[in-house]
Amino acid sequence: MTGVRVAINGFGTIGKRVAKAVQAQPDMIVSGVTKTGPSHGCALANRYGIPLYCTDDSPDRIRSFDGSEYSVSGGLSDLLSVSDVVIDCAPGKVGQKNHHTYLEAGIKHIFQGGEKHELTGISYTSCSNHSQNLGVMGTRVVSCNTTGLARTLVPLREVVGEMRVECTMIRRAADPGDSNKGPVNAIKPVLKVPSHHGPDLMTVAEKIDITSLAVAVPTTIMHVHAIVAYLPSGHGLTTADVLSIWENTPRVISMSGSSDGIPSTAEVMEMARDIGRPWGDLHEIFVWSDGVSLDGNVLRYFQAIHQESDVVPENVDAVRALMDIEQDWRVSVDITDRSIKESFS
Ligand SMILES: NC(=O)c1ccc[n+]([C@@H]2O[C@H](COP(=O)([O-])OP(=O)(O)OC[C@H]3O[C@@H](n4cnc5c(N)ncnc54)[C@H](OP(=O)(O)O)[C@@H]3O)[C@@H](O)[C@H]2O)c1
């Protein structure tokens, strides 16, 4: 097998999905994934036929796998030495501790949204700034929320130009596989106002002046954004035009809550399970077509974000940008999505 050799450091919620998506690509191979110790998740690496490594190089850590049913091919440095690029999928804020290791190894690196933009000084979303990321040493794929905002607001900005946006983010309390977070029986506002979520879009997209409020609610399955965008005068669009822009945008799905029978995130997730992707993932941003209204210059709409998976194909495209193997983001997105679809169906 040939292709860009992609290491995945951290094989949890995001890492295992990214590994499977990279495995599906015609121009990439997964050189290995890492775990901190011998745990249940190692079995998945074995099942995928991906070499397993330890997240660090300490002999004690590596020896912790001895006697378990999982064997490792070495530590992180060993993995980096047989790779061209590393996708860091460590828990938020842990990735930054791995940064110096990547710099010392001289390897290209991609972080996730749990790290700060300042870590790499550049961030990534395929529809916003693929070209700015061509050939760079390191980047950060923005968070699931920021990715969702970029998918619907950037194509709109390309048509109307500069705009101001207010967004309320109704956030899932925890991922389905996470028993450590909450709230379980409360609605918890983020009391840092405005929240950091919306403004993070400005790290990848110019000319969108955005602020946000955020609130966590007791659900595990999706985030919902309630968005108000102030379009410039003379934009000339109708609500139908806006929907048509999104219909022509990759990785955005628009369906009707009433006539398609998808009134809430529960039905969106059921539809995602019907599609047959592993884990019931939905890489696309879901917009309720009957929840979109353009009134003069004010556009209001709702969208739902599958937090565990919308960033997954973005990581694949980011590899193509850093390795400078595809300059056109639309071509990269097409290869990524088609390969994922073919391998998962
Ligand atoms: N979950 C989401 O909804 C979501 C969405 C978008 C972006 N993100 C971002 O993606 C990143 C990963 O989040 P996640 O939800 O996948 O976390 P996670 O489920 O907790 O998985 C993290 C993985 O990193 C491994 N790990 C622990 N210490 C490490 C180290 N020092 N170096 C490398 N790997 C290490 C863990 O190994 P063990 O399994 O062996 O403990 C685990 O496999 C974060 O930046 C997060 O903010 C998450």
Side-chain angles (χ1 to χ4, degrees), residues 9 11-14 35-36 55 90-91 94 98 112 114 172 175 307:
N9 190 20
F11 194 57
T13 308
I14 298 297
K35 292 292 278 181
T36 56
T55 48
V94 174
N98 296 325
Q112 306 305 308
R172 61 92 178 91
D175 287 337
Q307 76 278 354

Side-chain angles (χ1 to χ4, degrees), residues 89-292:
C89 297
K93 315 279 183 291
V94 174
Q96 66 178 5
K97 296 182 189 149
N98 296 325
H99 193 212
H100 74 276
T101 308
Y102 305 150
L103 293 177
E104 272 175 20
I107 189 167
K108 298 214 174 202
H109 44 275
I110 297 168
F111 289 101
Q112 306 305 308
E115 308 306 324
K116 286 196 182 336
H117 172 74
E118 291 69 33
L119 184 62
T120 49
I122 185 165
S123 294
Y124 181 88
T125 302
S126 54
C127 70
S128 307
N129 66 345
H130 184 84
S131 58
Q132 287 167 9
N133 278 269
L134 291 174
V136 302
M137 197 61 194
T139 195
R140 174 191 71 129
V141 168
V142 292
S143 73
C144 51
N145 280 306
T146 309
T147 298
L149 291 169
R151 294 254 185 91
T152 51
L153 288 170
V154 169
L156 203 56
R157 181 208 61 192
E158 278 168 9
V159 174
V160 304
E162 208 156 330
M163 59 186 165
R164 192 166 69 76
V165 177
E166 304 268 357
C167 173
T168 301
M169 335 209 60
I170 301 144
R171 306 182 59 231
R172 61 92 178 91
D175 287 337
D178 184 355
S179 60
N180 289 323
K181 293 185 187 156
V184 171
N185 184 27
I187 296 172
K188 190 176 177 191
V190 173
L191 296 175
K192 183 183 169 299
V193 179
S195 77
H196 72 275
H197 304 90
D200 191 44
L201 179 63
M202 296 189 275
T203 64
V204 287
E206 294 172 342
K207 297 185 184 167
I208 301 177
D209 180 13
I210 179 167
T211 56
S212 63
L213 294 168
V215 54
V217 297
T219 181
T220 61
I221 53 178
M222 291 189 107
H223 304 304
V224 167
H225 297 168
I227 298 174
V228 182
Y230 301 91
L231 309 191
S233 299
H235 57 75
L237 297 179
T238 62
T239 302
D241 294 332
V242 172
L243 283 166
S244 164
I245 290 170
W246 290 330
E247 263 159 36
N248 292 307
T249 300
R251 299 178 186 158
V252 176
I253 294 180
S254 171
M255 293 174 85
S256 163
S258 50
S259 58
D260 289 317
I262 306 194
S264 82
T265 53
E267 290 80 10
V268 175
M269 282 286 86
E270 186 62 12
M271 182 206 51
R273 285 189 283 268
D274 291 345
I275 292 172
R277 294 209 187 115
W279 302 286
D281 283 351
L282 187 67
H283 297 163
E284 297 82 358
I285 303 309
F286 184 93
V287 177
W288 281 276
S289 56
D290 41 354
V292 180

Side-chain angles (χ1 to χ4, degrees), residues 304-325:
I305 315 295
H306 187 228
Q307 76 278 354
E308 296 164 284
S309 71
D310 69 336
V311 298
V312 169
E314 302 286 332
N315 276 277
V316 176
D317 298 327
V319 169
R320 289 203 185 90
L322 263 61
M323 301 308 293
D324 208 353
I325 49 178

